Amino acid sequence: MNAPELMMAPEEDVQTRGLLGYYEAIEQASQDMLDAARSGDWDTVVRLEGACAVLIAQLKHAASERPLHSEEVTLKSRIMQRILRNDAEIRNLAEPWINDLSRMTGHPDGEHLH
């Protein structure tokens, strides 16, 4: 599922794949965010960040109703590691952009933007 499909996908589509479906959708969104960050498309990064927030909220709700099976926990861990790696690279790519934005808004040390 690519970014546009992710943002348009009904919650039921993700639910039918179980809890791992949420993790996989979040992972795909994080990969799409990384791809957008690499190309300097920060508007898409921000839009996808919003989609991730919605998916995370849905995941929290779904997880409270039905936890992962023990065999799914290992897969979840691998997915989370990939999400965290993507997030770290996005942050590294965003740092110069955030610093530029800070300077343009009169906060050269970025104190109000981090």
Side-chain angles (χ1 to χ4, degrees), residues 3-4 6-7 25-37 41-58 83 86-88 90-91 94 97-98 101 113-114:
L6 171 69
M7 294 185 334
I26 294 165
E27 178 187 11
Q28 183 60 56
S30 77
Q31 181 62 54
D32 291 344
M33 287 172 64
L34 178 55
D35 293 342
D41 184 356
W42 298 106
D43 290 337
T44 297
V45 173
V46 170
R47 190 172 62 250
L48 289 168
E49 186 177 27
C52 279
V54 170
L55 285 166
I56 290 167
Q58 292 171 346
I83 291 169
N86 289 346
D87 184 62
I90 292 165
R91 288 178 188 276
W97 180 77
I98 290 171
L101 186 59
L113 295 176
H114 287 274

Side-chain angles (χ1 to χ4, degrees), residues 41-106:
D41 184 356
W42 298 106
D43 290 337
T44 297
V45 173
V46 170
R47 190 172 62 250
L48 289 168
E49 186 177 27
C52 279
V54 170
L55 285 166
I56 290 167
Q58 292 171 346
L59 170 62
K60 287 179 181 178
H61 177 72
S64 69
E65 294 179 354
R66 55 186 187 284
L68 288 173
H69 298 290
S70 58
E71 62 273 4
E72 295 173 313
V73 172
T74 302
L75 184 52
K76 172 198 162 193
S77 178
R78 289 184 192 134
I79 292 170
M80 291 300 299
Q81 288 172 2
R82 289 190 297 265
I83 291 169
L84 291 172
R85 279 193 301 272
N86 289 346
D87 184 62
E89 188 172 343
I90 292 165
R91 288 178 188 276
N92 285 335
L93 292 167
E95 193 66 31
W97 180 77
I98 290 171
N99 291 338
D100 289 346
L101 186 59
S102 295
R103 281 190 295 280
M104 288 189 297
T105 60

